[in-house]
Structure formats: C-alpha cells, structure tokens
Amino acid sequence: MTVVVIGAGPAGLAAAVELRRLGTRDVLVVERESEAGGIPRHARHQGFGIRDLRRPLSGPAYARRYARLAADAGAELRTDTMVTGWSPGGPLELTGPRGPEILDPDAVILTTGCRERPRSARLVPGSRPQGVLTTGTLQQLVYLKEMRVGERALIVGAEHVSFSALVTLSHAGAGAVGMTTELRGHQTLGLVRAGAALRWRTPLWTRTAVTAIHGRPRVEEVELTDLDTGGTRTLECDTVIFTADWIPDHELAVVGGLEMDAGTRGPAVDAALRTSREGVFAAGNLLHGAEPADVAALSGRHAAATAAEYVRGSAWPDRRVPIECEPPLQWIVPNALCAQAASTRAGAAPPRGRFLLRSHEFLSGPRIEIAQGERVLWDGRLRRLGPGRSTPLRAAWSAGVTPDGGPVRVRVVHRG
C-alpha cells in the first residue's frame, strides 16, 4: 500500500500523518523546495494551528511542528524533488538528489497549493524596475534572507494576505503608503482591518486599479485609476507588493488529465476529495485560493481518510453528479457528489461537514437556493458572501441528491 503525497505544505503533511495513523504502510511526501512546511515557513505572524492542532503558533513553528509530526509518524519526506512527468494513466516521474525515478503508487494525493498572480499575469504596463514583488517573495526576502525591500511600499489587494504583507513590511522597517483594491471594500475580517488602521494608519483606496508602474532602476511611482470616474493620479513609492488574486498551482493536475473546475481553476473533486482519475485525490489550496493553513491541513486529513480506504480495497465510484454555480456566485468546493457516497465512511460528507462558497460580488444576507432539476434541496439565507473570503454551507442537503437527477445548481434567489 503506497501513497505518494505531492506537496509538503500543511495539507500534504497533515495527509501524511493521517495516512500513517490509519495504517498505510508506505507514505512518500515529495516537495520541490529544500524544506518542508509550505508558505507558513516564511509567515511569522501568529494564528496558525488553531483549528487543526488546537494551539496558536507562528507560521515557522507551525511548519516545523507538522514536518516533525510527519517524520515521527513514519512518512518519508523527500525535499528538492520534483515531479517531472505524469501522463493520464501513466506513472509518476521524479527528479531529485537520488536522480530520476519512476513510481507507480496505489494512490496519489495532490497538495500543491496555490500562488498569487504576479504583475505579469495581471498585465500591468509600464517599465520593468526592481521592487515589484508578491507577498510570498516579500516574506522570503524579509524572513528567510533578512534583506531590505525598500521604504515606501504600495500594497495591491485587500485580502487577509494583504494585511499580512503590511505586517511583514513593518518587520522589515518599511512603511506602506497605501493599499488598493478594485473592489468596493476589503475582503478580510473587520477586526483585522480596524486593527491595521489603528496601528499603521495606512489608507485603503477602493475601486482603484494600478494601471502603470514606472521607474529605473527601481520603482519610482505608480499610476492609479479610479474605476468609477476614470480619473488618474500618480503616487510616489519604491516598492509594489501584489497580493492575493490566487490561482491553484494546477500544472500537475492538468498534465495528469484531471477534470478541472472552471470556477476554482483547480481539480474538480467530490465530497471525499476524489478527482476524476481513479486513485488520485486533491486537497488544500490546490482546490481553491486561498484558505488559511489549518483549513488546508484539515482538507489534507480528509483526503487521507478516503485514500486509506481506497488502498485497502474500497471501490472507486463510477460516476458523479456535478455541482454548478450561477453568477454572481463564483465557485463551490467540493464541486461534485459521487453516486455511492454513502458506501464509504469518509465519502459521505465534505471536510468539516461543510461546503465552501464564494461570490464575485459582495452580498449581505443573500438567499441561496440549491436544486437538482425541479427539486429544491435547500433554501436559506447566508450572513454574507463575497470575493476573497469563503462562506461555509452545511452539507446536510447533499443527502437528497440522486444519481440520475442531473447537475446540482446553486444560485442566488435574493441578494438580501
């Protein structure tokens, strides 16, 4: 019974621990970085581990804790190792310090996470000066390499990680001249926004886009455009931090022939986190961008439970029912249900017994309807919906889905 976990972030390490706890004999975790732990390794703020480890930790402490738990459980961790080949139906090809290898495991769990889209992907014009970073690069430069990153930074984005960038800048001795978002509000917790406003007094400009970056050899100024009026202005700064705007790190899922979800841009999975390819599971922020590390870890633990059943002989479902969102809803995860969900203990409900739902727009108190054909499975109000933050949706309604009833549709019937 061999399971290969690809990615040694919180989801992958938690999956490895759970697989070993459930008696899976050979568990291999493959990580392309030189150290296990994922993004928390260079996110030094507190708040990691509350949901999964039941204790608050800093990012580096959380990463070390999970790497140690996985090693102590008996999982094999291979760092500096990449999957360099994987075709639909084919084995895994690895390249690392041991040289090239070919593995054909009983199951694979993909936990490759997600990444922020950099300037090039956002098509921001102008010159190409130094000082344009993503949050991840900022944190690595500050915390791992102890480098200075400038003095006056503009933060592009207003999600959780955007405020983490604000903290990192302060640790580096730099200041933020402002934060921008093209949306009409921030996407973090109100307490986080209020605390940041009180401590750093950084202005947040909503409905504002960065439309050009200029400078040589380093950033000197940016052009800001008001999306409501069309007016432009320039802002002097020496650093630009592009935050959020997440995309799953899905290259392996694509080359492996997995069905992808158009909303999340990650693999489509059922409640047990099974993908469309037999023996392949996906978990964590590969499924969506981006949930907190402990939520990703619990997702990895959930996938491991089903993977352990599978390698012990549990049948793979032969069909599944897709779950589709109608605008302004953006996505729901999991986004499929298998016809035989009740046949396995792990496959009957999604991680933490809830689906995650997001919207392209800010909605306060929206009324949501979930239906299969003409049959309404659930109808009720949620407190809020919006971009950048997921809203949990309890999974009891999924028990009413029938295998031959067609796709399940989730829609907003009243915006609140």
Side-chain angles (χ1 to χ4, degrees):
M1 298 186 294
T2 302
V3 180
V4 174
V5 180
I6 302 175
L13 294 172
V17 173
E18 184 70 0
L19 284 165
R20 289 291 297 153
R21 187 187 74 81
L22 294 172
T24 306
R25 185 174 62 245
D26 297 315
V27 178
L28 170 64
V29 184
V30 175
E31 171 56 50
R32 64 188 177 189
E33 298 283 341
S34 59
E35 186 177 344
I39 289 176
R41 292 184 301 120
H42 48 78
R44 292 197 179 177
H45 56 82
Q46 295 290 323
F48 291 85
I50 295 173
R51 295 178 181 89
D52 54 342
L53 300 180
R54 305 297 182 183
R55 66 186 71 180
L57 297 168
S58 69
Y62 179 80
R64 289 192 299 269
R65 172 72 172 160
Y66 256 120
R68 186 168 62 251
L69 287 172
D72 290 348
E76 179 184 357
L77 273 64
R78 291 193 200 171
T79 56
D80 293 314
T81 302
M82 293 186 64
V83 178
T84 50
W86 192 36
S87 59
L92 291 168
E93 300 175 21
L94 307 182
T95 301
R98 301 185 180 198
E101 293 182 80
I102 295 179
L103 297 178
D104 194 8
D106 298 302
V108 173
I109 303 179
L110 294 176
T111 58
T112 49
C114 63
R115 62 179 183 270
E116 294 166 300
R117 295 172 74 237
R119 173 192 180 178
S120 57
R122 306 187 200 205
L123 304 178
V124 179
S127 55
R128 294 291 181 266
Q130 301 171 15
V132 181
L133 314 169
T134 62
T135 312
T137 304
L138 169 71
Q139 292 176 334
Q140 291 184 47
L141 291 176
V142 173
Y143 295 134
L144 301 185
K145 299 183 179 181
E146 299 183 348
M147 295 176 60
R148 291 191 61 82
V149 293
E151 297 179 356
R152 292 169 50 83
L154 174 70
I155 298 174
V156 183
E159 290 189 23
H160 291 307
V161 72
S162 312
F163 291 88
S164 177
L166 190 61
V167 175
T168 304
L169 286 168
S170 70
H171 290 168
V177 295
M179 302 176 70
T180 69
T181 175
E182 297 182 16
L183 301 172
R184 60 178 176 84
H186 67 82
Q187 300 95 64
T188 189
L189 299 173
L191 286 175
V192 173
R193 167 64 182 142
L198 286 172
R199 180 169 181 180
W200 290 291
R201 301 185 183 280
T202 303
L204 171 61
W205 300 303
T206 60
R207 297 292 296 151
T208 300
V210 176
T211 46
I213 299 175
H214 300 292
R216 187 175 290 124
R218 191 174 180 89
V219 174
E220 297 173 358
E221 66 178 25
V222 298
E223 178 186 88
L224 302 179
T225 298
D226 186 308
L227 296 177
D228 293 323
T229 67
T232 63
R233 62 188 176 95
T234 58
L235 177 73
E236 293 184 359
C237 60
D238 60 18
T239 306
V240 179
I241 312 296
F242 283 96
T243 71
D245 197 5
W246 302 98
I247 183 170
D249 220 335
H250 58 211
E251 285 80 3
L252 271 181
V254 172
V255 300
L258 306 187
E259 176 189 343
M260 307 298 287
D261 180 77
T264 63
R265 294 178 290 183
V269 292
D270 65 15
L273 304 186
R274 290 175 285 234
T275 71
S276 59
R277 176 173 170 177
E278 183 171 350
V280 179
F281 303 79
N285 282 330
L286 169 62
L287 302 178
H288 42 57
E291 298 297 325
D294 51 3
V295 174
L298 292 172
S299 172
R301 188 184 299 175
H302 188 82
T306 323
E309 284 193 357
Y310 174 73
V311 298
R312 288 196 299 265
S314 176
W316 192 266
D318 56 8
R319 54 181 174 156
R320 55 192 197 169
V321 178
I323 308 173
E324 301 171 353
C325 288
E326 296 182 6
L329 299 179
Q330 182 179 6
W331 53 251
I332 188 169
V333 175
N335 30 48
L337 292 167
C338 77
Q340 299 94 341
S343 65
T344 65
R345 293 186 303 276
R352 301 188 297 145
R354 63 197 71 183
F355 291 80
L356 298 178
L357 186 64
R358 285 198 193 177
S359 168
H360 288 290
E361 302 176 10
F362 291 101
L363 303 173
S364 179
R367 184 175 150 219
I368 305 297
E369 180 186 271
I370 303 175
Q372 188 180 30
E374 299 299 320
R375 193 162 50 91
V376 175
L377 304 171
W378 185 82
D379 185 315
R381 289 191 179 274
L382 300 177
R383 184 176 177 183
R384 56 112 188 130
L385 275 172
R389 286 177 61 191
S390 298
T391 296
L393 182 64
R394 295 201 175 274
W397 59 268
S398 62
V401 174
T402 59
D404 300 318
V408 174
R409 300 192 184 279
V410 187
R411 66 189 187 101
V412 176
V413 294
H414 191 274
R415 292 173 176 260

